[in-house]
Amino acid sequence: MSRSCHTLHLEAHSRLLWTVLGKLLAFKSRMIVFNSSLTFHLRLKGKVSCSLVSEIEFQGQVNLSHPDHKFWLMETDNYGSNNGLPPIVCRRIFFGREIGAADRKLLPTYQLKSRTYLGPTAMDAEMAFLMANQAQAKTGKLVYDPFVGTGSILIAAAHFGAMTMGADIDIRVVRDGRGPDCNVWTNFKQYGLPMPISLLRADNNLPPWRPGLKEVFDCIICDPPYGVRAGGRKSGGRKLLKGVVGPYTVPDDKRNDHIPSTAPYSLVECVHDLLDLAARMLVMGGRLVYFYPVLREEDTIDTSFPEHPCLKMVASCEQILSFRYSRVLLTMVKIAPYTDDIAEAARIKHLEFRENHLKWLEDGNLHSAVFSPLDMQLNAAGGTKFSKESKPKYRGKYV
């Protein structure tokens, strides 16, 4: 039977790879345990696992100090119900060659506990770097965060050399902070990073861009407010949105200190506006990276996420925060230009998604679903009441 050229190419590449790594170069293997200690039991298991690798006939020289290549033996185990989290991974073993590694020395430098200016929803430093990596932030790119807060995500992007720009609906956060020596700008000074091009007081629901402006940003990275630690707000106020009062003009003598009225901003509306912003303002091939909350039911999550005709999802990574609540880091790439027809198609798709998938978010039930006692939910659903010991614990640092 004849074999395809693709198959022959893969086989030739594989033989060449093992010839180079096995016979000509020095190598090194490592075993590292995450979220645990290297106990005697784990050491014994490591020796057993390493015996599996011995089937590969390495003929190179072992060099632990200056290896040409590093090989990793990675083992995952069943987490059980540790810390209230559901079992997500069964025991598996992976073996591979290291082609790149993160610089974990950055984390102590950028850790939140030593940062000058923090807010209640400041993004963890490690997560901010992961988001910047997903967006492929680098020198020469312009990164925008429409929910900038205290600037944690922009700091990670600036570390990679990107130009940054942010906006927030609360002018007290982006302009004042806690004084001239404790604000968003001092966070950048603390790490010796380039200052943002601009920080705007802007509403994601009413973007400040002039009509016709398109394709400005290379990346949009953000953590939208979804009502667990902080709810979203948009301009207008309840009375204005209901038509009780009409639009007003702020007098010139009060503009410097005026704080506009705001109203609740549901996640379903927020995400729609975010996708529309990305479709309009991202360059072709630009990336949108944002967190999206989900409720866990029977150790699974709903895999239906918001869509837009201009954007293609290329990655989704779940971060389990508690037994019943997760958030998913979504990465989307712009693949088509923004037009009025596409905007209308996106609006219709948004309405369909809102009707079929986001009723619980539209009604504002996410906060109660995360924090209400589990036995109350079970009783309401007719289930059996759990004992005190069986109630899940929460990772409050991340919720």
Side-chain angles (χ1 to χ4, degrees):
M1 180 182 294
S2 62
R3 291 175 293 177
S4 67
C5 293
H6 178 67
T7 303
L8 293 174
H9 172 74
L10 289 179
E11 290 184 359
H13 176 74
S14 177
R15 286 198 299 270
L16 177 61
L17 175 67
W18 286 114
T19 298
V20 172
L21 300 184
K23 294 183 178 180
L24 301 180
L25 300 178
F27 65 92
K28 172 183 177 180
S29 61
R30 301 186 66 184
M31 177 181 178
I32 292 183
V33 178
F34 294 96
N35 295 326
S36 182
S37 58
L38 196 58
T39 62
F40 174 77
H41 176 65
L42 286 177
R43 289 176 185 271
L44 184 61
K45 287 206 307 181
K47 291 181 179 179
V48 174
S49 300
C50 288
S51 66
L52 301 177
V53 184
S54 63
E55 298 298 325
I56 302 175
E57 298 180 358
F58 284 107
Q59 298 179 19
Q61 186 179 22
V62 176
N63 188 333
L64 300 182
S65 301
H66 304 287
D68 296 297
H69 291 276
K70 296 180 183 179
F71 295 91
W72 286 77
L73 184 68
M74 297 176 288
E75 181 177 348
T76 62
D77 209 341
N78 195 324
Y79 291 104
S81 57
N82 184 37
N83 200 22
L85 300 182
I88 56 172
V89 181
C90 296
R91 185 171 182 267
R92 300 179 66 184
I93 297 175
F94 302 89
F95 176 75
R97 181 170 65 97
E98 178 184 297
I99 60 174
D103 185 4
R104 297 190 65 83
K105 296 178 182 178
L106 292 176
L107 300 184
T109 302
Y110 288 92
Q111 59 186 341
L112 293 184
K113 65 181 181 181
S114 61
R115 190 165 298 175
T116 303
Y117 180 43
L118 282 179
T121 59
M123 179 62 65
D124 178 71
E126 182 175 12
M127 196 60 63
F129 278 113
L130 289 174
M131 297 175 76
N133 258 333
Q134 286 292 97
Q136 300 180 352
K138 60 183 180 180
T139 302
K141 288 194 174 183
L142 177 58
V143 177
Y144 178 64
D145 182 358
F147 310 99
V148 66
T150 56
S152 297
I153 294 176
L154 293 188
I155 286 175
H159 172 84
F160 291 126
M163 299 175 288
T164 59
M165 183 174 176
D168 201 282
I169 194 171
D170 191 345
I171 192 172
R172 295 166 295 185
V173 173
V174 296
R175 184 188 65 182
D176 305 326
R178 296 192 179 97
D181 298 323
C182 186
N183 51 49
V184 180
W185 305 98
T186 58
N187 282 345
F188 284 82
K189 291 180 182 178
Q190 178 182 353
Y191 302 114
L193 298 174
M195 293 295 166
I197 293 175
S198 178
L199 294 177
L200 308 175
R201 187 279 171 191
D203 182 3
N204 189 56
N205 185 245
L206 296 172
W209 321 113
R210 69 174 185 266
L213 183 64
K214 296 180 181 179
E215 300 190 358
V216 174
F217 305 116
D218 297 286
C219 320
I220 296 177
I221 316 173
C222 63
D223 182 27
Y226 32 82
V228 177
R229 288 188 295 179
R233 308 292 296 181
K234 63 180 180 180
S235 300
R238 292 185 177 87
K239 292 183 178 180
L240 180 62
L241 295 177
K242 291 180 179 179
V244 177
V245 297
Y248 62 94
T249 301
V250 181
D252 292 338
D253 59 332
K254 296 182 178 180
R255 289 197 172 189
N256 289 335
D257 299 323
H258 177 71
I259 299 177
S261 300
T262 60
Y265 190 27
S266 67
L267 178 63
V268 60
E269 188 177 6
C270 176
V271 172
H272 169 67
D273 293 338
L274 177 62
L275 295 185
D276 187 74
L277 169 70
R280 180 192 299 269
M281 300 299 290
L282 281 176
V283 301
M284 290 297 296
R287 291 196 165 205
L288 167 66
V289 179
Y290 71 102
F291 269 114
Y292 181 79
V294 291
L295 291 180
R296 297 184 60 85
E297 296 180 359
E298 298 179 357
D299 297 340
T300 61
I301 63 171
D302 184 1
T303 55
S304 300
F305 301 120
E307 299 177 352
H308 194 284
C310 289
L311 304 172
K312 176 184 178 181
M313 185 179 299
V314 295
S316 61
C317 310
E318 181 187 11
Q319 181 189 18
I320 299 179
L321 301 175
S322 73
F323 193 82
R324 64 183 78 162
Y325 166 53
S326 296
R327 61 182 182 179
V328 181
L329 184 62
L330 302 179
T331 304
M332 309 181 82
V333 177
K334 184 174 179 179
I335 58 173
Y338 185 86
T339 64
D340 293 338
D341 293 338
I342 283 184
E344 178 61 21
R347 187 187 69 83
I348 295 174
K349 183 169 290 191
H350 156 69
L351 294 176
E352 294 175 353
F353 184 85
R354 169 179 168 178
E355 182 67 25
N356 297 328
H357 300 286
L358 281 180
K359 190 62 177 177
W360 57 277
L361 291 176
E362 180 71 14
D363 293 340
N365 294 327
L366 179 60
H367 186 278
S368 60
V370 172
F371 291 106
S372 62
L374 183 60
D375 53 356
M376 290 179 59
Q377 292 187 357
L378 291 172
N379 290 338
T384 304
K385 183 175 180 179
F386 276 26
S387 65
K388 182 178 180 180
E389 290 75 14
S390 64
K391 291 182 181 179
K393 300 176 183 178
Y394 300 100
R395 292 183 173 179
K397 172 183 175 183
Y398 297 106
V399 172

